[in-house]
Amino acid sequence: MTDLKTFVSLDDLAKFADDKFVQMLKENKVKDILKAIGLFSDQTITNDILIISQNPEATVVKRLSDWGYYKRKVKENQKGIKVISHVLKNYNIDTTDENGNVFAQGVEKMDIQMGFLFDISQTEGKDYEYLNSNKENVAKYFEAVKGALEKSVRGYEFEYKDIETKSDIDFTNKKIFIKDGLSIDEVIRTLIDNVATVLVATRKEEGLADFFDFEKNGVVYAVNSKLGLDLPEYDFSLSLNDDGLLELKNNLQKVRSVTHQILQNVQNSIEYSVRKLLREEKLEKAEETKEQEEVVQKTKAAKTTKTKTKTKSKQSESEVE
């Protein structure tokens, strides 16, 4: 894990990230950047570069307090991953009325500061149920993932029918057709492709013009990376000067934004499904425990009744004698 000890200011971090970004593009490492976008879609492109530069093996990163929410704590002697954080802070501004009374008025401002993230490998505690970066989990929560993908494009209807191609998009009537009878993996991958197409097409252009295919394919690659699906063999090679490479960051920001929208929906749906399943298992276990306790109580009651019956019987025999 690389430690950027010498970078103590935000300007240092930002410059390092920009230089590293251009270097990676020149080395044709676009796919590495896209994988990072998929894994850390809630971060900026700059932070994505900072994360993979410091910890190339990172898969799920969160702040200290966020890991605490999931009942996990950072292990001892772990170094945080330096990133640029945007934090909403409250500031008090003194105001004076006509009578000379001073009042503190709260004002919220966005503050930029150095932040620290920790990868899941640096933490311990309760199992993290929502690490959905594998085919098995996607298949297990297929209906949740499918529904989340469909909801990612508002206003569009999805229809599963017997068509010649795997899918078709009717932009005029806002309908997406998916071939009926596809496997679970094919349905998910086809949905991702179509959802990415619609979302990228309906977003305003950012960065370099005429980069629709690059952006759409970038979203598909990033989402598939996060979900652990087979990665498509896209060609992301570029022929741009340094200024063009820096401008491409805006196109990738659009890729990140669309990717985050899709994955946030999927992540929320899987988290809801996991919690629902855990609740059901907890209720089922409680019901089983209750039934077992009732059986024990009935057994005890039966034994007590039997003992009383025997006692009464002996008393009766005694009286007869």
Side-chain angles (χ1 to χ4, degrees):
M1 179 170 171
T2 303
D3 183 16
L4 305 181
K5 288 182 179 179
T6 57
F7 300 131
V8 295
S9 73
L10 296 177
D11 289 339
D12 287 337
L13 284 177
K15 186 177 186 314
F16 170 83
D18 283 343
D19 291 345
K20 186 69 174 178
F21 174 75
V22 172
Q23 178 189 338
M24 291 182 71
L25 292 181
K26 286 182 176 180
E27 293 175 354
N28 198 28
K29 293 183 178 179
V30 178
K31 291 180 179 179
D32 290 342
I33 296 175
L34 291 172
K35 285 180 182 178
I37 288 174
L39 290 173
F40 322 116
S41 64
D42 58 338
Q43 300 292 326
T44 62
I45 302 296
T46 295
N47 281 346
D48 288 341
I49 299 298
L50 289 172
I51 292 167
I52 60 176
S53 296
Q54 295 171 76
N55 189 347
E57 304 302 319
T59 55
V60 181
V61 296
K62 296 182 186 296
R63 293 178 298 178
L64 193 66
S65 58
D66 291 334
W67 278 125
Y69 172 79
Y70 289 100
K71 304 294 189 268
R72 295 184 69 86
K73 66 178 182 178
V74 175
K75 302 173 187 175
E76 290 186 9
N77 302 319
Q78 294 296 316
K79 295 177 181 178
I81 300 170
K82 293 180 181 179
V83 292
I84 299 174
S85 295
H86 295 75
V87 182
L88 195 62
K89 283 192 172 182
N90 288 316
Y91 294 89
N92 289 327
I93 300 175
D94 291 339
T95 57
T96 306
D97 65 12
E98 67 246 6
N99 298 318
N101 298 313
V102 179
F103 298 91
Q105 181 180 3
V107 176
E108 289 186 335
K109 290 184 178 180
M110 189 64 72
D111 193 32
I112 302 176
Q113 61 187 35
M114 187 180 296
F116 295 90
L117 301 173
F118 296 88
D119 182 54
I120 188 170
S121 63
Q122 298 176 277
T123 68
E124 58 188 2
K126 185 179 179 182
D127 287 344
Y128 184 64
E129 303 283 351
Y130 318 112
L131 184 60
N132 55 312
S133 54
N134 58 72
K135 287 183 180 181
E136 290 72 21
N137 258 4
V138 172
K140 181 178 180 180
Y141 301 107
F142 169 70
E143 289 298 332
V145 175
K146 174 174 168 287
L149 289 170
E150 292 175 349
K151 290 176 183 176
S152 295
V153 280
R154 294 180 181 178
Y156 273 75
E157 293 181 18
F158 286 79
E159 189 174 334
Y160 296 80
K161 58 189 294 186
D162 186 18
I163 55 178
E164 291 185 6
T165 57
K166 281 190 177 181
S167 63
D168 189 28
I169 302 175
D170 182 348
F171 284 97
T172 303
N173 297 303
K174 292 188 174 182
K175 286 188 175 183
I176 296 177
F177 302 98
I178 306 294
K179 185 178 180 64
D180 198 18
L182 297 178
S183 67
I184 287 177
D185 183 65
E186 287 177 318
V187 169
I188 296 300
R189 287 164 60 83
T190 304
L191 279 172
I192 291 171
D193 190 274
N194 283 267
V195 169
T197 300
V198 173
L199 291 179
V200 171
T202 52
R203 294 282 184 95
K204 68 176 183 179
E205 282 195 8
E206 295 183 39
L208 299 169
D210 301 323
F211 264 67
F212 173 81
D213 287 341
F214 177 91
E215 293 169 346
K216 176 259 180 182
N217 291 344
V219 171
V220 173
Y221 197 90
V223 172
N224 282 12
S225 295
K226 173 61 178 176
L227 298 181
L229 302 176
D230 294 335
L231 298 176
E233 294 295 328
Y234 291 141
D235 180 9
F236 291 107
S237 56
L238 301 163
S239 297
L240 300 169
N241 57 28
D242 284 6
D243 290 338
L245 293 176
L246 283 173
E247 184 66 18
L248 185 69
K249 199 171 192 178
N250 293 318
N251 299 86
L252 285 171
Q253 177 57 32
K254 181 177 177 181
V255 170
R256 187 212 64 80
S257 178
V258 173
T259 298
H260 180 61
Q261 179 179 340
I262 295 172
L263 289 176
Q264 190 66 39
N265 286 336
V266 172
Q267 185 83 6
N268 288 342
S269 292
I270 288 182
E271 286 199 15
Y272 175 79
S273 297
V274 169
R275 287 178 179 146
K276 183 180 178 183
L277 184 61
L278 290 175
R279 283 197 301 269
E280 290 174 351
E281 290 176 350
K282 189 175 180 180
L283 288 172
E284 191 176 310
K285 190 173 181 179
E287 191 65 33
E288 288 178 359
T289 302
K290 184 180 177 181
E291 289 177 358
Q292 289 172 358
E293 288 176 352
E294 288 176 352
V295 170
V296 170
Q297 292 300 324
K298 286 179 180 179
T299 302
K300 285 182 178 178
K303 286 181 178 179
T304 301
T305 302
K306 189 174 181 180
T307 301
K308 288 180 179 179
T309 303
K310 284 183 177 181
T311 302
K312 286 183 179 179
S313 179
K314 286 182 179 180
Q315 288 175 349
S316 298
E317 289 176 0
S318 237
E319 289 173 0
V320 170
E321 291 175 357

